[in-house]
């Protein structure tokens, strides 16, 4: 099949407007306010002083975890008893055995907050189970 280009000019403003209305529908846009509950609380993590405990939750697996906040503000993330899927994942080298089944998860770049770190580890778990 041969393709012949008839024109390469931009669509007119009225055509773009017509397409935009068809895509977004006819009703007025409604602003959605962001939730004010941090992700870690939404996922059921509990704070006890400078320690947090909870579960890293994905659609494929759940792992116990805890996080320690140092005086400097540095966060250390721990995961209990990583599965074979995690051990075979490319980021397994980021896990440091701390004994009794607990592993420190070393991150190349410090997450900006607790929620970001939990999300990062949950993404890693999801990747491990997807491959």
């Amino acid at each position: 099949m041969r393709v012949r280009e008839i024109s390469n000019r931009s669509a007119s403003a009225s055509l773009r407007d017509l397409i935009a209305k068809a895509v977004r529908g006819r009703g007025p846009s409604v602003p959605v306010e962001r939730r004010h509950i941090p992700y870690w609380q939404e996922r059921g993590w509990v704070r006890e002083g400078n320690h947090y405990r909870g579960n890293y939750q994905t659609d494929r697996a759940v792992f116990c975890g805890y996080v320690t906040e140092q005086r400097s503000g540095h966060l250390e993330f721990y995961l209990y008893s990583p599965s074979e899927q995690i051990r075979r994942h490319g980021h397994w080298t980021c896990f440091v055995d701390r004994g009794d089944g607990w592993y420190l998860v070393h991150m190349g770049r410090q997450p900006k907050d607790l929620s970001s770190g939990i999300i990062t580890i949950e993404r890693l778990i999801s990747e491990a189970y997807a491959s």
Side-chain angles (χ1 to χ4, degrees):
M1 174 191 334
R2 291 179 49 192
V3 176
R4 192 172 113 202
E5 186 176 314
I6 296 173
S7 175
N8 62 1
R9 67 185 175 117
S10 298
S12 67
S14 59
L15 182 58
R16 286 193 309 264
D17 187 45
L18 178 66
I19 292 170
K21 284 180 184 175
V23 169
R24 74 175 172 250
R26 303 219 187 277
S29 60
V30 178
V32 177
E33 189 169 326
R34 182 178 175 172
R35 297 180 78 173
H36 297 285
I37 301 170
Y39 182 80
W40 65 270
Q41 284 181 320
E42 189 176 296
R43 299 294 270 188
W45 286 68
V46 178
R47 181 179 185 170
E48 298 168 343
N50 64 342
H51 297 282
Y52 300 82
R53 62 180 169 79
N55 294 316
Y56 299 107
Q57 304 171 46
T58 71
D59 58 341
R60 305 244 182 143
V62 176
F63 292 90
C64 293
Y66 76 90
V67 179
T68 302
E69 184 175 6
Q70 305 298 317
R71 288 184 185 172
S72 65
H74 178 80
L75 298 168
E76 292 183 339
F77 294 84
Y78 295 85
L79 184 137
Y80 184 73
S81 191
S83 65
E84 275 305 309
Q85 288 87 342
I86 293 173
R87 292 171 189 268
R88 289 191 306 260
H89 189 267
H91 283 288
W92 176 241
T93 58
C94 302
F95 287 75
V96 181
D97 189 353
R98 292 296 189 203
D100 295 329
W102 287 101
Y103 286 78
L104 170 69
V105 184
H106 178 267
M107 296 191 192
R109 188 170 50 206
Q110 176 70 18
K112 66 178 181 174
D113 57 32
L114 177 66
S115 295
S116 299
I118 293 170
I119 290 169
T120 299
I121 293 173
E122 289 178 347
R123 187 176 299 128
L124 184 150
I125 293 167
S126 292
E127 288 175 6
Y129 277 83
S131 52

